[in-house]
Amino acid sequence: MLKGAVDLTQTGIDRPSSPARLPYTSDKHPKLTLEAINVLRKHRELCDVVLIVGQRKIFAHRVILSACSPYFHAMFTGELAESRQTEVTIRDIDENAMELLIDFCYMSNITVEESNVQTLLPAACLLQLAEIQEVCCEFLKRQLDPSNCLGIRAFADTHACRELLRIADKFTQHNFQEVMESEEFMLLPINQLVDIISSDELNVRTEEQVFNAVMGWVKYNIQERRGHLPSVLQHVRLPLMSPKFLVGTVGSDLLIKSDDTCRDLVDEAKNYLLLPQERPLMQGPRTRARKPIRCGEVLFAVGGWCSGDAISSVERYDPQTGEWRMVAPMCKRRCGVGVAVLNDLLYAVGGHDGQSYLNSIERFDPQTNQWSSDVAPTSSCRTSVGVAVLDNYMYAVGGQDGVSCLNFVERYDPQLNKWTKVASMSTRRLGVGVAVLGGYLYAVGGSDGTSPLNTGKSICHVLQ
């Protein structure tokens, strides 16, 4: 027994059946060891290799480099000539980036910034430092902007950074309306342009925007790019355009008219628009509606009926969090209210407040969480009204005014803050389902006031 130790047998305390133990792992040891090795490096002590990068010599220890980098591990433990050399030349890598990466191997920290990321990422790829690659990609993700996303996208593709490429690609698609105005867009090579505009997830309000982007790209360098127009135009979904734009703008463009393939594409689109009964036989990539994934989209539940009375409350559902939250209530209680989104603002049209039918409109701005009532009212009071948006106009379809079921349709122009009557439906409908497809407004089902309906009515968007 050690001198001064307590004899457990004399204390009445039972001795454990196994010897006492105190396992210990030092959290400081790895850090202190690396710090000590780094001091050796700085003093060029016990270093067994010198890396020559550009005009710079970097002293290091093979064991540290091999432990941190698969590239160096293969170099120093295999049969390569470098495994026996005391000086090794590393080519095609930035010397500042290499020094930062060697410092990381010894010190476990690095600072990625705008001034070094474009040299640091290729160097990390060469040395197979996966952790630094991830940090560089994360930095670039945070820098994404409509003015630089195409450059970052190309950079990620060049260096096989798949996750960064995916994020940059999604960002480009979601922000296409701003990206198409950038200098980077005008400088795109044709293969990258086609890759972007052919995506089903391209976030555009109308296909006209895609056409304008393509023509802007062609005319930026018309001498070299006019020959690419047919191969690019085939990825623009001409059949989904309005007839007026297709004929008046696309069909009349001199570059389009001067090319047989382009004229054929325009004729195909015209046939699609003029022969609706033939459309099931004419389906293809150019007739498929784009379905952009809009980051940050939310769902609103507006008004309704609760405990025997109309309500004014509004709730917002965020699919990212799976939570419902109350937002500012409407100024009026509304059930049977028609709801639509126009220019990123939420409109509540008509309805019933529990006592009377309404023709007033309210508009909600999600940025300020406020409702305003400065929207022009519809021509008549109506509830159970169908509402939808087409070509930046809002349509109010059918409903009832307390006396009869309605068949008339009104169109709202947000620029003029004015409602205008357009062609009426052939059938009176309340509780009608309204949707937009292929440049047409569809009114489906509902009730004529006495019995349910199973018929539909399409209202062409060119009606005045």
Side-chain angles (χ1 to χ4, degrees):
M1 181 179 295
L2 295 176
K3 184 178 180 180
V6 177
D7 185 354
L8 297 180
T9 61
Q10 302 301 318
T11 63
I13 301 174
D14 293 336
R15 180 187 294 273
S17 58
S18 59
R21 300 172 66 242
L22 179 61
Y24 172 73
T25 301
S26 173
D27 294 329
K28 299 177 183 178
H29 177 74
K31 183 175 184 294
L32 294 175
T33 301
L34 273 178
E35 287 177 352
I37 297 174
N38 191 45
V39 170
L40 293 173
R41 177 175 73 104
K42 294 296 185 183
H43 293 154
R44 300 184 180 181
E45 295 176 343
L46 302 180
C47 294
D48 55 4
V49 68
V50 179
L51 303 177
I52 301 175
V53 187
Q55 302 300 312
R56 194 169 303 180
K57 289 187 174 183
I58 303 174
F59 288 77
H61 304 87
R62 294 172 190 263
V63 65
I64 298 296
L65 300 185
S66 297
C68 296
S69 163
Y71 172 87
F72 283 125
H73 184 272
M75 176 183 289
F76 295 140
T77 63
E79 298 299 321
L80 298 174
E82 288 87 349
S83 65
R84 298 178 295 276
Q85 295 172 352
T86 56
E87 290 192 351
V88 177
T89 300
I90 309 293
R91 306 185 188 280
D92 302 321
I93 194 168
D94 181 83
E95 56 190 58
N96 292 319
M98 175 63 90
E99 191 147 35
L100 285 172
L101 293 174
I102 298 301
D103 285 345
F104 173 78
C105 292
Y106 282 84
M107 300 164 58
S108 307
N109 59 65
I110 193 169
T111 300
V112 179
E113 52 194 5
E114 193 172 343
S115 62
N116 66 25
V117 68
Q118 293 191 61
T119 56
L120 203 54
L121 179 56
C125 291
L126 176 67
L127 302 186
Q128 301 174 45
L129 294 172
E131 189 175 5
I132 305 304
Q133 289 177 252
E134 292 175 5
V135 173
C136 289
C137 290
E138 181 61 33
F139 175 83
L140 289 171
K141 287 179 196 176
R142 298 181 183 185
Q143 302 304 307
L144 280 169
D145 182 84
S147 65
N148 67 19
C149 61
L150 292 174
I152 292 177
R153 181 180 183 274
F155 189 63
D157 193 21
T158 299
H159 298 290
C161 299
R162 294 181 180 178
E163 178 63 11
L164 177 60
L165 176 60
R166 185 187 69 81
I167 296 296
D169 202 36
K170 295 297 182 186
F171 185 93
T172 299
Q173 293 169 6
H174 180 68
N175 296 279
F176 182 74
Q177 295 167 54
E178 296 174 74
V179 172
M180 62 182 276
E181 304 291 340
S182 69
E183 183 73 9
E184 282 191 347
F185 182 81
M186 296 304 171
L187 298 176
L188 277 176
I190 182 173
N191 62 315
Q192 291 185 32
L193 174 69
V194 167
D195 190 37
I196 292 169
I197 65 170
S198 61
S199 171
D200 284 348
E201 297 175 5
L202 199 64
N203 183 22
V204 289
R205 292 190 299 272
T206 64
E207 201 63 26
E208 285 87 335
Q209 290 179 306
V210 185
F211 174 80
N212 288 333
V214 164
M215 297 308 292
W217 180 86
V218 171
K219 292 176 182 179
Y220 186 81
N221 190 345
I222 194 168
Q223 296 302 320
E224 294 185 11
R225 294 177 176 177
R226 66 182 304 164
H228 294 312
L229 182 57
S231 57
V232 175
L233 191 65
Q234 66 176 305
H235 298 285
V236 181
R237 304 179 184 189
L238 300 182
L240 304 184
M241 293 179 175
S242 68
K244 182 178 179 181
F245 188 89
L246 180 66
V247 175
T249 301
V250 181
S252 64
D253 189 282
L254 294 178
L255 291 175
I256 303 290
K257 293 170 68 175
S258 64
D259 185 272
D260 291 342
T261 302
C262 293
R263 290 202 306 271
D264 288 344
L265 290 169
V266 173
D267 289 341
E268 174 193 69
K270 287 180 180 178
N271 290 335
Y272 185 85
L273 292 171
L274 292 172
L275 302 170
Q277 70 277 8
E278 300 295 329
R279 289 179 188 173
L281 304 176
M282 302 169 70
Q283 297 301 309
R286 284 186 289 276
T287 62
R288 186 169 58 242
R290 300 187 192 268
K291 297 180 179 179
I293 299 175
R294 295 184 173 88
C295 300
E297 282 195 336
V298 294
L299 179 70
F300 286 90
V302 181
W305 192 265
C306 181
S307 300
D309 203 357
I311 58 175
S312 61
S313 63
V314 181
E315 293 185 65
R316 172 184 180 273
Y317 176 73
D318 186 343
Q320 300 296 320
T321 63
E323 296 180 347
W324 285 94
R325 293 180 57 191
M326 301 296 293
V327 299
M330 295 180 288
C331 303
K332 287 183 175 292
R333 295 177 297 153
R334 298 175 187 269
C335 65
V337 60
V339 180
V341 175
L342 176 60
N343 297 329
D344 295 325
L345 299 172
L346 181 67
Y347 286 78
V349 179
H352 192 280
D353 64 6
Q355 296 181 333
S356 57
Y357 293 86
L358 305 173
N359 67 343
S360 62
I361 318 294
E362 295 186 50
R363 179 174 56 212
F364 178 72
D365 186 342
Q367 299 299 320
T368 62
N369 191 34
Q370 292 181 339
W371 288 88
S372 62
S373 301
D374 58 352
V375 185
T378 53
S379 63
S380 68
C381 298
R382 56 170 83 184
T383 188
S384 300
V385 56
V387 180
V389 172
L390 174 63
D391 290 343
N392 290 318
Y393 293 102
M394 181 165 62
Y395 290 79
V397 180
Q400 63 172 325
D401 59 8
V403 177
S404 61
C405 184
L406 307 174
N407 67 341
F408 60 82
V409 181
E410 294 181 76
R411 184 175 72 179
Y412 177 71
D413 185 338
Q415 300 296 322
L416 302 177
N417 190 27
K418 181 181 179 181
W419 288 91
T420 305
K421 283 190 176 182
V422 296
S424 298
M425 297 180 290
S426 57
T427 307
R428 299 175 182 272
R429 298 175 187 269
L430 65 90
V432 58
V434 182
V436 172
L437 178 63
Y440 287 83
L441 190 69
Y442 286 84
V444 181
S447 169
D448 62 6
T450 58
S451 58
L453 301 170
N454 65 353
T455 58
K457 172 71 177 179
S458 64
I459 307 167
C460 182
H461 72 289
V462 297
L463 289 178
Q464 301 299 319

